[in-house]
């Protein structure tokens, strides 16, 4: 620690107006935790790190991180504690014994989980006078610190504002959602669903064109242009969903017939058709519910009212 206030002057700033960086502790040095700590170090934040398997702190220590011997030592070193471990169960296991030490500090939890887990952890923090933000990193570790990288936060706004400058270092797309600690996780699972359904469609499409010798790189140049077009559709559909009216650009009836072409072309070439068949099944449910002449966005009515599978 460089001074009594847990702040440090960046070496390259000597001789000009000094800016200071508050101290940060990072608990959990898996792939993501290491990336978070590394970016903080590079940006001149005095960073104390702890990990269950201590060797994962070696590279960071050689870059200037302070290696804490215990999680309690890490917490004591900084007013802001980032935690990024495999699950919320591990978060609970690690932080519960540190309740007293954490009082008056802020925990930013970047571990993936459900909204319910986030809310439970936020309630625990509030009961013990611990500032708490729940966060989601919408990136692989290599993206941490990049201008386009999205990190989402929810929890008390004043706590986010108090640490905004530090959190913004972790990604240019740093976004505060609202005071409900569960919302960052809700966005996280929603965005992951969007990612996996898009990537599943991509894998299917690449396999389909690949049956006739088109390599994935060639196809993906067109695929990415198509995704930009689809992004425009989503913007239009958002207005439809919010207003509950679904004027058709192409009706569900028309799209269902076109889906048959995708299924036919796939099966004719020996390609797995589970993805187009699932989309067609959802579309047929929309038609059965009376949305045959509506846009694709009307399927939200089916998804919203889905009954659990027996
Ligand atoms: N990697 C990504 O691309 C990515 C992207 C977004 C979000 N995330 C989320 O970030 C979190 C961490 O992911 P990761 O990729 O860093 O995973 P990881 O490389 O597997 O690291 C897991 C971390 O959890 C720690 N841990 C697990 N069980 C523990 C226990 N019982 N006690 C103490 N520490 C324990 C591990 O410690 P040891 O080293 O001692 O095993 C390690 O620090 C996950 O929730 C993940 O969903 C990851």
């Amino acid at each position: 620690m460089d001074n009594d206030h847990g702040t440090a002057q960046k070496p390259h700033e000597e001789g000009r107006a000094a800016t200071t960086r508050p101290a940060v502790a990072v608990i959990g040095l898996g792939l993501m935790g290491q990336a978070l700590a590394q970016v903080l170090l590079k940006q001149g934040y005095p960073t104390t790190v702890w990990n269950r398997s201590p060797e994962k702190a070696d590279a960071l220590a050689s870059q200037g991180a302070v290696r804490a011997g215990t999680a309690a030592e890490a917490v004591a070193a900084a007013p802001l504690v980032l935690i990024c471990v495999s699950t919320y169960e591990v978060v609970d296991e690690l932080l519960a014994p540190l309740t007293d030490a954490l009082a008056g500090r802020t925990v930013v939890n970047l571990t993936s989980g459900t909204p319910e887990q986030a809310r439970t952890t936020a309630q625990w923090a509030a009961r013990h006078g611990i500032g708490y933000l729940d966060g989601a990193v919408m990136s692989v570790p290599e993206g941490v610190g990049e201008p386009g990288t999205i990190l989402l936060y929810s929890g008390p706004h004043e706590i986010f504002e108090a640490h905004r400058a530090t959190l913004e270092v972790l990604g240019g797309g740093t976004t505060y959602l609202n005071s409900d600690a569960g919302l960052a996780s809700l966005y996280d699972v929603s965005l992951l669903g969007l990612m996996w359904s898009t990537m599943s469609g991509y894998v299917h499409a690449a396999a389909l064109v690949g049956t006739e010798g088109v390599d994935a790189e060639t196809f993906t140049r067109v695929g990415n242009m198509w995704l930009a077009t689809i992004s425009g559709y989503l913007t239009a559909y958002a207005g439809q969903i919010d207003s509950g009216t679904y004027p058709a650009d192409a009706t569900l009836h028309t799209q269902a017939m076109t889906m048959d072409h995708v299924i036919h072309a796939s099966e004719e070439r020996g390609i797995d058709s589970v993805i187009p068949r699932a989309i067609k099944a959802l579309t047929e449910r929309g038609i059965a519910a009376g949305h045959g002449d509506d846009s694709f966005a009307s399927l939200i009515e089916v998804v919203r009212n889905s009954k659990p599978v027996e």
Side-chain angles (χ1 to χ4, degrees):
M1 197 68 60
D2 298 64
N3 62 34
D4 291 344
H5 307 290
T7 59
Q9 186 174 320
K10 292 173 76 177
H12 69 270
E13 289 171 339
E14 283 167 18
R16 61 188 172 95
T19 56
T20 55
R21 304 279 190 270
V24 183
V26 179
I27 293 181
L29 302 174
L31 295 172
M32 186 53 81
Q34 288 189 45
L36 296 167
Q38 193 150 45
V39 167
L40 290 166
L41 272 176
K42 276 195 183 145
Q43 293 298 321
Y45 286 82
T47 306
T48 299
V49 296
W50 179 83
N51 192 61
R52 176 181 63 174
S53 310
E55 68 278 6
K56 288 190 185 165
D58 290 350
L60 292 162
S62 70
Q63 292 162 40
V66 175
R67 187 202 292 269
T70 61
E73 256 180 64
V75 164
L80 176 62
V81 179
L82 301 190
I83 184 162
C84 186
V85 288
S86 47
T87 64
Y88 274 70
E89 286 78 10
V90 174
V91 171
D92 293 346
E93 190 184 314
L94 293 175
L95 298 190
L98 306 179
T99 301
D100 291 342
L102 284 166
R105 301 176 197 271
T106 290
V107 172
V108 174
N109 183 10
L110 293 169
T111 304
S112 304
T114 66
E116 289 68 31
Q117 289 175 314
R119 288 179 186 132
T120 302
T121 306
Q123 285 159 8
W124 163 81
R127 278 199 306 279
H128 296 287
I130 301 164
Y132 183 79
L133 291 175
D134 206 273
V137 186
M138 306 312 302
S139 170
V140 293
E142 291 71 23
V144 175
E146 296 296 322
T149 296
I150 301 168
L151 289 98
L152 305 171
Y153 295 96
S154 57
H157 190 231
E158 65 278 11
I159 293 179
F160 176 78
E161 286 301 330
H163 299 286
R164 175 195 280 272
T166 304
L167 298 177
E168 282 180 345
V169 158
L170 301 175
T174 292
T175 301
Y176 174 77
L177 297 173
N178 81 3
S179 60
D180 170 7
L183 200 62
S185 284
L186 189 61
Y187 265 67
D188 188 26
V189 291
S190 303
L191 290 169
L192 289 173
L194 175 60
M195 177 185 78
W196 281 315
S197 53
T198 305
M199 294 197 308
S200 302
Y202 167 74
V203 167
H204 176 268
L208 189 51
V209 292
T211 59
E212 307 220 358
V214 180
D215 62 81
E217 284 192 10
T218 301
F219 170 69
T220 304
R221 283 196 282 278
V222 178
N224 276 331
M225 286 196 289
W226 182 223
L227 282 179
T229 305
I230 293 168
S231 173
Y233 297 160
L234 300 192
T235 304
Y237 288 162
Q240 294 191 7
I241 289 169
D242 287 344
S243 67
T245 55
Y246 310 103
D249 36 15
T251 67
L252 283 190
H253 279 304
T254 302
Q255 297 200 57
M257 286 188 288
T258 317
M259 286 169 197
D260 282 335
H261 304 156
V262 183
I263 294 166
H264 174 85
S266 302
E267 293 178 353
E268 191 72 6
R269 287 162 178 75
I271 292 297
D272 190 304
S273 59
V274 65
I275 293 165
R277 281 196 175 280
I279 297 165
K280 174 84 189 299
L282 186 67
T283 304
E284 280 171 348
R285 283 168 55 201
I287 293 169
H291 294 290
D293 291 326
D294 290 339
S295 77
F296 196 84
S298 67
L299 290 180
I300 195 161
E301 301 286 347
V302 176
V303 173
R304 268 181 186 148
N305 298 316
S306 186
K307 304 234 175 354
V309 178
E310 302 278 314

